[in-house]
Structures are given as C-alpha cells and as structure tokens.
C-alpha cells in the first residue's frame, strides 16, 4: 500500500475524463487500496481516482463517524430519485483550505461494481449523496470550484498557485 500524491487545482490533469474500468482485477484492487490509505490519511470522506492521477472510474468513500465503513464504487452510474435539492458547504482535497456552497440532488440511486467486481445498487441520501456526486464530478473532470462565481474561482486559483510556488521553492514535505 502507498500514500499517493493528491493533485491540486488548477492542475490541468484534474480536467481529464476518466475511462471505465474494463475488468476489476488485482491492479484495480491495488489502486483501490492505495486510494483508501491516501483518503484516510488526508483525511477525507471521499476520493476519486482522478485526484491521484489515475484516470479510471474508481471512487472510494467513507462517511462514517469512526471510519469503519469503506465503500468502493467502480464505473458508477447515478440516477436521480427525487427533485429535491440540498445546498451544502463542500470541501475538496484538490482545493485545500476552501469551503464553498454547492447545490446538489438530495436523493439518488447509484449502480456500480464493488471491489470484488460484483454489481450493486445503493440508495444515497445526505452526506453520502453529496459525496458520491462530488466524486463522480471528479471522474468527469469537474471540480467544486466550477459551481462558484468566476471571480471567486480566480481568487482561489491565485492563492493555490502562490502556495504551489512556495512549496516548489521550499521543497514539499
Ligand atoms: O473530504 C471531503 N469532504 C467533503 C465535504 C463536503 C462535501 C464533499 C466532500 S469530498 C472531500 C474529499 C474530496 O475532495 N473528494 O473528492
Ligand atoms: Ni474533491
């Protein structure tokens, strides 16, 4: 297992469209395990493969209090269940230090493959519904900052670019 580097906005690689997984094999399970280690260490409640520069449709999530409920979604397909919307302040490991309001569907049905390659269906509400939509956005190359005003987005971009320059000069870690 390994902790992977998380790409940060405005890294253009975060805009890559992730490709479907053809077969859930040991290579994919290795990526899943590394994603969980990276997500728990960060710490975050979810991670999309895109964020660790793997452009395949893989998501890890754990929204439980005690971090004992790991969920894996491979090739997720989302269906809207109700017309209700919910606005929540979201954070993103690829946009560290910023929290923005995003409005999303409150109730959805997700079909995906699990770590064993078996298909499953899960009804999602609340934080899980928010998180799965946030992660599927990543697989589409979409970020939380795409929902806010261009001015706010520009400010975040400038601040993170400044941080990245500082880190490059000082040497990360
Ligand atoms: O850790 C995370 N917290 C979070 C909070 C509100 C809405 C979405 C999220 S996902 C985020 C981790 C992340 O960046 N996943 O892509
Ligand atoms: Ni994110």
């Amino acid at each position: 297992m390994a902790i992977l580097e998380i790409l940060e906005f405005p890294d253009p690689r975060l805009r890559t469209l992730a490709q479907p997984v053809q077969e859930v094999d040991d290579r994919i399970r290795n990526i899943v395990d590394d994603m969980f280690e990276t997500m728990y260490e960060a710490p975050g409640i979810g991670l999309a493969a895109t964020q660790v520069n793997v452009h395949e449709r893989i998501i890890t999530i754990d929204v439980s209090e005690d971090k004992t409920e790991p969920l894996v979604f491979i090739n997720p397909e989302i269906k809207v269940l109700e017309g209700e919307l919910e606005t929540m302040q979201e954070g993103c490991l690829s946009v560290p230090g910023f929290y923005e309001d995003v409005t999303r569907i409150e109730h959805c049905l997700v079909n995906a493959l699990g770590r064993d390659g078996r298909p499953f269906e899960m009804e999602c509400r609340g934080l899980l519904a928010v998180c799965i939509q946030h992660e599927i956005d990543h697989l589409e190359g979409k970020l939380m900052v795409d929902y806010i005003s261009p001015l706010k987005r520009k400010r975040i971009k400038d601040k993170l670019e400044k941080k990245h320059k500082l880190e490059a000069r000082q040497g990360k870690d």
Side-chain angles (χ1 to χ4, degrees):
M1 297 239 285
I3 288 168
L4 309 172
E5 188 194 339
I6 297 174
L7 304 179
E8 293 184 5
F9 178 70
D11 192 311
R13 292 172 291 181
L14 287 167
R15 299 310 190 174
T16 312
L17 174 66
Q19 297 303 310
V21 169
Q22 294 302 329
E23 190 192 350
V24 183
D25 53 15
D26 287 345
R27 181 183 70 84
I28 296 298
R29 275 185 281 275
N30 255 308
I31 295 170
V32 166
D33 293 346
D34 287 348
M35 284 175 63
F36 273 118
E37 195 176 9
T38 304
M39 180 186 89
Y40 285 128
E41 196 261 350
I45 60 170
L47 192 71
T50 308
Q51 292 177 278
V52 291
N53 202 28
V54 173
H55 301 289
E56 298 181 73
R57 303 185 78 81
I58 308 168
I59 289 168
T60 57
I61 290 180
D62 191 337
V63 293
S64 70
E65 288 282 336
D66 53 357
K67 300 293 158 211
T68 55
E69 291 169 37
L71 301 173
V72 180
F73 299 87
I74 295 166
N75 299 344
E77 299 283 348
I78 193 165
K79 253 200 307 210
V80 172
L81 278 188
E82 284 169 16
E84 287 199 35
L85 300 175
E86 187 176 45
T87 302
M88 219 189 87
Q89 198 163 67
E90 298 194 10
C92 181
L93 295 171
S94 297
V95 193
F98 296 90
Y99 301 87
E100 301 293 340
D101 276 353
V102 181
T103 301
R104 299 187 190 273
I105 299 297
E106 196 275 330
H107 188 193
C108 59
L109 192 66
V110 179
N111 280 279
L113 305 177
R115 195 180 180 285
D116 56 4
R118 300 238 304 258
F120 68 95
E121 187 170 77
M122 192 178 287
E123 204 178 320
C124 304
R125 291 180 170 279
L127 187 57
L128 179 57
V130 168
C131 192
I132 189 81
Q133 290 171 77
H134 175 115
E135 305 311 339
I136 290 174
D137 274 355
H138 276 303
L139 301 181
E140 300 297 318
K142 188 163 183 175
L143 294 167
M144 188 186 90
V145 293
D146 298 342
Y147 293 93
I148 64 179
S149 76
L151 180 65
K152 264 185 162 178
R153 182 160 60 244
K154 170 81 161 63
R155 275 210 299 258
I156 293 174
K157 178 174 172 274
D158 290 347
K159 282 183 185 159
L160 285 177
E161 279 176 339
K162 214 167 173 179
K163 176 177 101 88
H164 296 153
K165 275 193 191 125
L166 203 70
E167 283 169 352
R169 244 188 295 138
Q170 297 176 337
K172 226 177 170 179
D173 299 321

